[in-house]
Structure formats: structure tokens, C-alpha cells
Amino acid sequence: MKKVHKIIASRLSSASLASVLNGNRLFAGALVTGVLLLTGCQSTSLDQSNAMTAKQTPAAAKTALVTALQKQRRQSFSYHSNLEISNEQKFSNINTKIGAKAPVASDYIDEYCEDTHDQAYAALIAQAEAQSKDILAIDYDAQRTALKDGYLECTDAYEAWVESNYDSDIIVPASYQQLFDNYDDRATVQDVKKAQLLDAYMLKPLSINAQGIYQPMAGKATMLASAQYQARNHQSSINQPIYLDFKNGNIYLWADNFAMFNSELLDDKLGTKWRNKWLKLAIDDGTLPKGFGSELIKSHFAALDATFDAAPISQFDYVAPNALASLSPKLPAHQLPAMLASNQVIRRVQSAESYEQFYQDYMRIVYERISQRYPELVKESAPYEVGNTNADKFTSKALVQQMLVMIKSDMNGGSETTEETIAEIKEDAMLANAETQELYGFDKRGQLKWQHLRSEIPSKTASNKNMVIDVLQQYSAINAKDMAFPNLPSDVQVPNASNSIDMREYGSELMQYYRDGNGTAMGKMMFSVIPMTKEKFGAIE
């Protein structure tokens, strides 16, 4: 399961920044991403060449894609993302033959024969009842005999298979040999039913979207994230506006979505103070070296360029737009029309092994550049220990130092750790077959109009029955008439001092409120056990 968790982490990563594959990597990756988003600057100039080439070879596909992605870093655009999750592979096109990887009757191999017989007999009883007949009637003699013979054949084969582990001369029927040898890779009938229910009642009615604008030269970006659930008798939706201020290193979240929760659990005096307000989260508290955000952005792009350049040409190819409809598993029906309208499509396919190697190379390049530019961030830095009550450990500088310590620790494991991880992936079929596919669509002018990411989350059973995640992101020109947040009043479209709550200031005020003996019972219990609050504000009675 450890390997599965690592691959799940990487499969949920974005196309531009590989996600991490264990606990330390998750923390480090989150910090890198946060600083990239919130202390960003304009990207550096890059050489450009023709986006589209005449010969549709793998080498041409790679060159064209590199050029398009580098060009996009400096462009302003409007975007819309749609995420769909499907587990249809877990129960569609199931072959019921013993020799195939069909679902089995029981979780435990020693109960397979009995459970298979019982389920088949129960189905025969149901058939008899539907026909208003007795199961012991002569009409069902042949079927009952077949069930009995099948059960005896199965138990004999199982006993022979068990004995064959100790005596190689014992012969087991080939179909049962394959069944029992690969039993742990099989889904059970119950697994299939659960997958069908999850798909019908949760995944199909659920839709996750995000839209907004990206303006690197202006130093800002917006996102209106939303999730919708639409079933026959139930419809619900939630939206979360997000505003990113690259220049000042701030992120703003719409306060209404948190106000009720905060008022009920922590701040019983809040009232309606957060109504039509933003919550300001200052990521850089002034402790980071000057220009750190800019350098991290440059390091990020340098690492991406280097790892992309090292990627095998065999990962890239051109795909005829009309061939997208025949991909297996099928692309979501509502995502496909925008993709079919493309003039040209480039595909990149990466294995789990490739993703692991990418992560190692990417982090090594970022670490080397940052440590050379800011040696003070890597000197005398020790891993953070749980329970440490030093409030200085929670500054922006301290968090970045911890990120660098984790990266260095991972790197110190050497190539041996990387080789071991890759070896594990190769040995485990269900991990090795969990691929990530990226599709990029271009118009007649060679302009990138959309990109699609398909990832597979390995299941605990057969590798060809993984859960699939499809993310389609479309790009278009910014329309000045369109509001970034259509669901918000016009006077709060852009956060400022008058329409936002500074969370650092609010946090200090809230803690003082508790020091004075006020607050909710839940809040008093929570704050009484947080080490940093004890040190900074004293014990809360």
C-alpha cells in the first residue's frame, strides 16, 4: 500500500509541477507551489521557434510542445478547467470466464469455491421463484447437478493447488491454476457492486470546475473554484473565489464560506463582520531574502526546462483530432467537443517510473539553484520536530528552510533510494501500468487552446481497472467586459484594505479575546493544546 500511496500522490499532481510521492515530499511540494503562486514575478525571456513543424515526428512533437509551453508563461489569458472522476473501468466489459480477470465471489481464496457455489445457487432459487416453481422440481435437476459438479471440481482443484506448493508433480487444471495464482489481483463481486454504486450516486452527478484569468505581467491571477452535484432529486453547488496577488505575496479567499464555521466554533462575537469581505493571507511575512520569490520562479522554470529537455522523445507523438473519440477509456462526452475542434493535437505519455525520475531531477535542480543563491537558507537548518514550541519556526523563512532540509534529506538518500523506488514500481504491475497521458490542442495558427490531463489512480486489484481522472483546461483571450467573479458585488471584485480582513491581525485579536477569558468551549479546548499559542499568549483559562 505504501507504493500505491506514492503513486496516488504523483497522479494528482498538476501538469507543470510534479507532485510528491511521500509525506516529506508532499510538504515540500506544497511549500514550493505556494511560494511559486504567491511570491511570483514575470518569467524570463526564452528563445522561440516555430510552434508547429511540417513533419509530424515524435521529435517535432516535443519541440513544438516545448515552444508552446514556454511561450504561454508570459501570456495573459482566461481559462476554464473541468475535472471529472470515473471508475467505470472497474466494472465495465467484465469477462466472466475463469481464465480471464473476472470478479471473484469471495475476498478470501480458501472460501472461493463455497461462495461461488452459494451465489450461483441463490441465483437459481431466484429464477425458480420468478417462475413460481420449487427449486427441487425436476425442471432444475440438470442445473443443480451442474452446480454440484462445479463445486466439487473447484474444491478438488483448490486442494491440488495448495498441495502443489509442496509437491511440484501435482497437476492443477490450467484455468484454476491461473485463477488461484493471481487471486489477489482480482476484484470481488462486492467490489464491482460498490464501484457501480459509487459511479452512479457520487461520481457521475459530481462536477468540479475552476475559471479565472492569469496576468503574469500585471502580477495577478483569479480563480473561481466550484463543485456541483446534480442528481434527480438533489442539486447543490459551492463556489470559492480566490485572488492571487503575485507582487505582494498575498492570497485572498472569500470570507462568507468560512464565516459560519468560524462563528460557531471559534469566534462567537464575529456576527456579520465578514460579510462581503475577503480574507487576506500574507504568505511572505518579510523574513525571506529580498528577491527570493523571483529566484524561485526562475529556478522552477529552469528545472522544468531541463527535465523536459531530458524527457525521451518516445513519450511524444501527434494524434489526429478525430482519433480522440476512439481513445480507451473514453474521454468524458462533454469535454470531447472542444478537443475535436482542434487543428492539431500533441500527446505525451509518462509511466509511474518516469514520474518518479522527474521528481528527483526537478527537486535536485531547484535545490542547487536556491542553495547557491541563498546559502543562508541552508546553513544550520535542522528538521522541525513535532512539539517544538518556538514561534520562530512558523515564519515564512523557517518554513522555506524546512522545505530545503526535506529536499536535501531526500537527495542524501542518493540514487539508491531512487533506484529502489523505481524497482518497486517495475515489480508491481498495477503501479507500472498506471500511466499519465497529456494532450495539447492547437488552432490553425499554432496557438495552444487547451490541454488535457488523464491520470490513473491504481486500484487494490487488477491494474486494468483503475480509477481515471480527466482534467480539461481551455484557454482564451481575456474579455475586459467579463467580471472575474460574477457572483460577487462589483465593489469587491478586487481586494483592498477596506474590503478585506488581515488574518494575521485578526488572529492576534482573537487570541487576546481568549486570554481575556472569552470564546467558545471548542475554541478554548483547541487553543489550550497548541504549543505556539501557549508561548505567545500564555495559558488560556
Side-chain angles (χ1 to χ4, degrees), residues 155-174 177 181:
T155 54
D156 288 344
Y158 176 70
E159 290 174 2
W161 179 77
V162 172
E163 292 297 325
S164 69
N165 292 317
Y166 308 98
D167 185 351
S168 59
D169 292 332
I170 295 179
I171 298 176
V172 182
Q177 181 81 49
D181 284 350

Side-chain angles (χ1 to χ4, degrees), residues 342 441-443 445 447-451 473-477:
S342 307
F442 299 84
D443 62 15
R445 298 177 300 150
Q447 184 74 25
L448 180 63
K449 302 300 293 184
W450 58 263
Q451 63 184 87
Q473 182 151 299
Q474 301 180 65
Y475 306 106
S476 60

Side-chain angles (χ1 to χ4, degrees), residues 17 28-40 244 246 249 251 283 296:
L17 178 60
L31 286 175
V32 170
T33 305
V35 177
L36 288 175
L37 288 174
L38 303 171
T39 62
L244 302 175
F246 294 150
I251 180 172
I283 302 304
L296 186 56

Side-chain angles (χ1 to χ4, degrees), residues 130-141:
Q131 297 174 350
S132 300
K133 296 181 180 180
D134 191 312
I135 186 63
L136 298 178
I138 192 173
D139 304 39
Y140 303 109
D141 282 355

Side-chain angles (χ1 to χ4, degrees), residues 62-77:
K62 179 179 178 180
T63 299
L65 184 56
V66 168
T67 301
L69 294 177
Q70 290 178 342
K71 181 180 179 181
Q72 192 185 45
R73 296 174 188 172
R74 304 185 305 276
Q75 294 178 331
S76 295
F77 53 79

